[in-house]
């Protein structure tokens, strides 16, 4: 009698596709493997995906390419229908990369605008002196000198590019917020790296759930044990990881 064919269980995608709630539908035995897969995706996504395009605008070969690259190293996720854990996180990470790239471009543009404003303000005395000379020529009956077209175009562009005082303060506040976010992520990553088990792969979970700076880690350290344990459970940390983090918080 022939042996029965092996039935491969295919895990369907969850209803909540594009937010962090999909993680709870990944099998418990695959959670740690998923953390390593996420690190692999973060390392390879910039060279496989086009950061200038959204997920739906990506070429079909790019999406399939990142999926096959991850599956070749982590075949665990082949049992998931359309390997949805890989694609869901790749899409999520692409959105994060595009957002950070946009913020960097805005920061550079704002800095250039402020530099142009400072240059324009520095050239104001020279323009005033030029205007005085022109007035003297008119008073003496001489023909008023006509400015060159290049000079007019340059001044017009400078006036258009110069941001208002309120805009400069707004840009300064947004730049400060971006720096705080980046520095805070680094502080949380340093804390996780300093733990005996080196749990820096969990950085994304902490940041997504609001632990984005060392000051917030200190607030968390003052919680009761049960509250800290329940919070870390919601971050889908296993029992060992929760104990390591709680011990680390005691020494922060």
């Amino acid at each position: 009698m022939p042996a029965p064919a092996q039935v491969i269980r295919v895990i369907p995608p969850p209803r909540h596709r594009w937010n962090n709630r999909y993680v709870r539908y990944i099998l418990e035995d695959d959670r740690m493997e998923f953390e390593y897969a996420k690190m692999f995706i973060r390392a390879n996504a910039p060279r496989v995906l086009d950061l200038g395009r959204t997920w739906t605008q990506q070429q079909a070969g790019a999406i399939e390419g990142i999926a096959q690259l991850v599956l070749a190293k982590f075949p665990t996720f082949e049992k998931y229908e359309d390997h949805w854990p890989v694609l869901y996180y790749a899409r999520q990470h692409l959105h994060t990369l595009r957002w950070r790239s946009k913020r960097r471009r805005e920061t550079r543009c704002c800095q250039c605008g402020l530099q142009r404003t400072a240059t324009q303000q520095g050239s104001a005395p020279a323009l005033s002196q030029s205007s005085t000379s022109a007035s003297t020529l008119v008073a003496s009956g001489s023909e008023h000198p006509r400015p060159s077209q290049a000079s007019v175009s340059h001044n017009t562009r400078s006036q258009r590019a110069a941001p208002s005082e309120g805009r400069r303060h707004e840009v300064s506040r947004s730049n400060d917020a971006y720096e705080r976010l980046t520095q805070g992520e680094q502080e949380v990553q340093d804390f996780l790296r300093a733990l005996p088990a080196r749990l820096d792969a969990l950085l994304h979970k902490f940041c997504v759930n609001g632990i984005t700076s060392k000051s917030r880690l200190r607030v968390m350290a003052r919680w009761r044990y049960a509250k800290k344990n329940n919070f870390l459970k919601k971050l889908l940390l296993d029992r060992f990881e929760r104990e390591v983090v709680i011990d680390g918080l005691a020494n922060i």
Side-chain angles (χ1 to χ4, degrees), residues 6 12-13 15 20 32 46 54 63 83 88-90 105 127 133 149 160 168 175 188 204 215-216 222-223 229:
Q6 183 180 4
R15 185 177 49 164
N20 292 319
M32 184 56 68
T54 63
I63 294 177
H83 31 268
Y88 285 10
Y89 183 75
R105 289 197 303 270
L127 293 175
S133 301
Q149 185 66 27
R160 290 176 181 174
R168 285 200 296 272
N175 290 348
V188 177
H204 178 73
S215 60
R216 294 197 173 191
R222 293 195 293 269
W223 294 351
N229 191 51

Side-chain angles (χ1 to χ4, degrees), residues 4-246:
Q6 183 180 4
V7 178
I8 301 177
R9 180 188 175 192
V10 176
I11 303 173
R15 185 177 49 164
H16 307 291
R17 291 176 179 267
W18 306 124
N19 55 36
N20 292 319
R21 285 185 287 178
Y22 70 82
V23 177
R24 70 182 66 173
Y25 295 94
I26 299 175
L27 297 180
E28 185 72 28
D29 294 341
D30 298 337
R31 297 280 174 82
M32 184 56 68
E33 192 81 357
F34 183 58
E35 293 300 326
Y36 290 114
K38 285 163 58 177
M39 296 174 62
F40 186 78
I41 291 172
R42 290 195 293 268
N44 291 276
R47 68 181 182 87
V48 178
L49 300 176
D50 185 354
L51 302 187
R53 300 184 179 186
T54 63
W55 180 263
T56 55
Q57 294 172 342
Q58 295 289 322
Q59 297 180 357
I63 294 177
E64 188 61 25
I66 189 69
Q68 295 304 322
L69 194 65
V70 177
L71 291 175
K73 192 171 183 64
F74 303 95
T76 302
F77 301 103
E78 291 181 352
K79 61 176 173 285
Y80 293 85
E81 183 179 338
D82 295 329
H83 31 268
W84 57 263
V86 174
L87 294 184
Y88 285 10
Y89 183 75
R91 177 169 182 164
Q92 177 184 339
H93 185 60
L94 175 65
H95 176 76
T96 302
L97 290 176
R98 285 174 51 81
W99 177 82
R100 289 178 177 172
S101 177
K102 180 180 177 182
R103 291 299 298 270
R104 283 195 293 268
R105 289 197 303 270
E106 290 176 351
T107 301
R108 285 197 297 267
C109 290
C110 293
Q111 290 173 348
C112 291
L114 293 175
Q115 289 175 357
R116 285 196 296 268
T117 303
T119 303
Q120 183 181 8
Q121 291 175 349
S123 61
L127 293 175
S128 177
Q129 183 179 1
S130 176
S131 300
T132 304
S133 301
S135 300
T136 305
L137 288 174
V138 172
S140 62
S142 302
E143 184 180 358
H144 192 283
R146 185 174 183 179
S148 64
Q149 185 66 27
S151 176
V152 172
S153 301
H154 173 73
N155 292 336
T156 303
R157 286 195 301 268
S158 299
Q159 292 172 358
R160 290 176 181 174
S164 64
E165 188 68 25
R167 175 60 179 166
R168 285 200 296 272
H169 287 307
E170 180 183 350
V171 168
S172 177
R173 286 195 299 268
S174 64
N175 290 348
D176 291 344
Y178 178 73
E179 291 298 329
R180 284 198 300 273
L181 177 63
T182 305
Q183 181 181 358
E185 286 184 349
Q186 185 63 48
E187 290 172 350
V188 177
Q189 187 178 52
D190 292 342
F191 165 74
L192 294 172
R193 281 180 176 172
L195 297 176
R198 250 187 96 90
L199 301 179
D200 49 313
L202 303 177
L203 173 64
H204 178 73
K205 290 185 178 182
F206 276 73
C207 292
V208 165
N209 288 276
I211 308 300
T212 53
S213 66
K214 192 170 184 178
S215 60
R216 294 197 173 191
L217 285 171
R218 290 195 180 102
V219 172
M220 185 178 173
R222 293 195 293 269
W223 294 351
R224 294 182 178 179
Y225 176 87
K227 185 175 181 180
K228 286 185 284 194
N229 191 51
N230 289 335
F231 180 80
L232 295 173
K233 275 186 180 179
K234 293 179 181 179
L235 271 59
L236 302 177
L237 273 63
D238 58 37
R239 185 173 180 179
F240 172 76
E241 292 170 338
R242 294 198 301 269
E243 293 295 335
V244 171
V245 172
I246 291 173

